[in-house]
Amino acid sequence: MDATDFPDDLVRTQAAWTTTYQALAAPHPRDTAALRRRLLRLSVRLWWHPYWQTVPSAPTARTELRRLARARGAVRAA
């Protein structure tokens, strides 16, 4: 399996994590408790996803996943 061949649900989860993190980091965020809970749930889902058992270099793949999710988010925003 190629390091960039991520399951769709993993990419969506990473994109949701990034969006939630950005919302929490924005000036004067609303409902910070809910955002923090969501960020924690998404973090757990990302960390324990079964995909990580299949890659030889998880740290490298995690970095690539974050890059891919940010790039897809930028394309959707454009």
Side-chain angles (χ1 to χ4, degrees):
M1 185 179 284
D2 185 20
T4 59
D5 190 20
F6 297 108
D8 288 336
D9 66 318
L10 185 59
V11 176
R12 284 192 306 269
T13 302
Q14 180 64 54
W17 187 97
T18 301
T19 301
T20 305
Y21 184 86
Q22 289 171 342
L24 192 57
H28 311 293
R30 303 192 78 177
D31 204 3
T32 57
L35 289 171
R36 288 179 181 168
R37 283 191 301 271
R38 178 168 168 74
L39 196 62
L40 182 58
R41 279 193 312 271
L42 291 168
S43 295
V44 168
R45 220 182 284 167
L46 285 169
W47 185 260
W48 294 107
H49 194 280
Y51 173 78
W52 302 120
Q53 302 300 316
T54 66
V55 290
S57 178
T60 303
R62 288 179 194 276
T63 301
E64 182 61 22
L65 174 63
R66 285 190 296 271
R67 187 204 62 76
L68 177 65
R70 274 190 238 116
R72 285 190 183 178
V75 167
R76 272 190 235 120

